[in-house]
Amino acid sequence: MNKIVLTALAAFIAIAGASCSTKNKENDSETKELSRDIKFESYTYDIISEFTGNDTLEAPGGKLVRFIGQGVLPEDIGDTDIKTLRETLMNIAGIHFIDGNAEPVMTDSLQITDMAASDTDACGEVISTLATTLMTPRAIVWENIKYVYPCLAAHGNTNTTYVNFCLTDGKIISLGDLFKPDYQKTLMEMIRTKLKESGHELLMPINEVSFPSQFGLTSKGIIFSYDPYQIAPYSEGTIQVELSAGELSDILSEHGLYILLGVI
């Protein structure tokens, strides 16, 4: 397992001093530009874990699970306190650091072995990748994709999680930070319309589809993500609905437009 400190991907990024949770119109004409070094560190691991109980599947490597992971974490964002952000990212990636090295968090029934992953036949597999998908002067977005294959299962399953972080006030962004009050009904109708147009086979009537728990800011707008089985069968895969800032303009708050596009 390696830990590599990356040089700032965008050293001295100009960051506007407005808040990601509030919008102070009185200060719009006096937006303060700050410069902050942003540093990242990467991690990788490839290990074999073993079930500690007596129950073992009758298959080669039936008691073993291979964990493969990689990711990028913030190491420093100027004077911003990133403790909560790092803890959130490590939680969704399912890792902790031991002596400076990343390791996957094990359940009580699993323990890490010293077996060489490349030479060991493990029946189960867990693959996790934590990557930045967007970085602007106002926000950084992380996406964690986790694939889990239980031994002898018909197929594995994928889970996608996003963390949207506001650089201007050092907080994780919620949907409520981006939209006008009472936006939910209109936004839900827009998502359902996109789903209907996509032709996906759903597990429920379109009017019963609820808000996805995951969303990520993009260079165009916002992407909403449903994991397999949440609203559709496994064969449909991860379903994502992207709405542009233009499509969302009627329900975005002034501050939401600022976060997405830098419009003040």
Side-chain angles (χ1 to χ4, degrees):
M1 292 176 284
N2 298 315
K3 177 184 177 184
I4 305 170
V5 177
L6 304 180
T7 56
L9 295 181
F12 301 108
I13 289 181
I15 300 177
S19 165
C20 272
S21 56
T22 62
K23 180 72 171 173
N24 188 341
K25 294 183 179 180
E26 295 178 359
N27 294 330
D28 282 354
S29 61
E30 300 178 0
T31 301
K32 183 179 179 182
E33 295 294 327
L34 305 175
S35 294
R36 298 177 184 173
D37 261 336
I38 300 178
K39 296 181 181 180
F40 299 88
E41 61 179 345
S42 69
Y43 64 85
T44 62
Y45 58 81
D46 188 359
I47 66 168
I48 299 294
S49 65
E50 183 177 20
F51 284 103
T52 56
N54 295 324
D55 294 336
T56 302
L57 293 174
E58 294 298 326
K63 201 171 185 178
L64 304 178
V65 181
R66 185 174 183 175
F67 285 80
I68 302 171
Q70 61 179 341
V72 177
L73 290 168
E75 185 183 43
D76 182 69
I77 304 179
D79 58 358
T80 301
D81 183 353
I82 59 172
K83 179 181 178 182
T84 299
L85 173 62
R86 282 182 62 94
E87 289 176 349
T88 299
L89 291 170
M90 288 192 291
N91 182 56
I92 67 169
I95 64 167
H96 55 191
F97 281 90
I98 302 295
D99 297 327
N101 292 316
E103 290 184 354
V105 176
M106 296 287 108
T107 63
D108 292 340
S109 61
L110 285 169
Q111 64 180 10
I112 295 176
T113 75
D114 58 2
M115 301 177 187
S118 58
D119 299 328
T120 304
D121 186 11
C123 188
E125 187 174 56
V126 178
I127 303 174
S128 179
T129 298
L130 178 68
T132 55
T133 59
L134 180 74
M135 186 164 71
T136 74
R138 299 163 303 283
I140 303 178
V141 179
W142 276 269
E143 177 189 65
N144 189 75
I145 298 178
K146 185 176 183 179
Y147 171 79
V148 179
Y149 174 74
C151 182
L152 298 183
H155 54 72
N157 202 15
T158 301
N159 170 264
T160 302
T161 309
Y162 290 95
V163 173
N164 306 272
F165 186 73
C166 178
L167 288 168
T168 62
D169 71 354
K171 296 180 180 179
I172 294 173
I173 300 169
S174 69
L175 282 179
D177 295 329
L178 304 172
F179 292 98
K180 298 175 183 177
D182 302 321
Y183 68 90
Q184 292 92 339
K185 181 179 179 180
T186 301
L187 180 56
M188 191 69 258
E189 289 174 352
M190 296 173 71
I191 292 173
R192 289 170 178 168
T193 296
K194 287 278 188 177
L195 285 171
K196 188 175 181 179
E197 293 173 350
S198 70
H200 286 294
E201 177 188 351
L202 302 180
L203 295 171
M204 62 197 71
I206 191 69
N207 61 357
E208 293 182 9
V209 173
S210 59
F211 269 113
S213 60
Q214 298 300 320
F215 75 95
L217 308 186
T218 73
S219 59
K220 296 180 180 179
I222 304 176
I223 196 165
F224 298 89
S225 185
Y226 295 92
D227 288 334
Y229 294 122
Q230 285 189 325
I231 62 170
Y234 178 82
S235 58
E236 294 293 314
T238 299
I239 295 177
Q240 296 187 319
V241 174
E242 185 168 17
L243 294 167
S244 70
E247 291 173 302
L248 294 167
S249 60
D250 287 344
I251 56 174
L252 283 171
S253 64
E254 289 184 16
H255 192 59
L257 284 168
Y258 166 73
I259 295 301
L260 289 174
L261 302 175
V263 175
I264 296 177

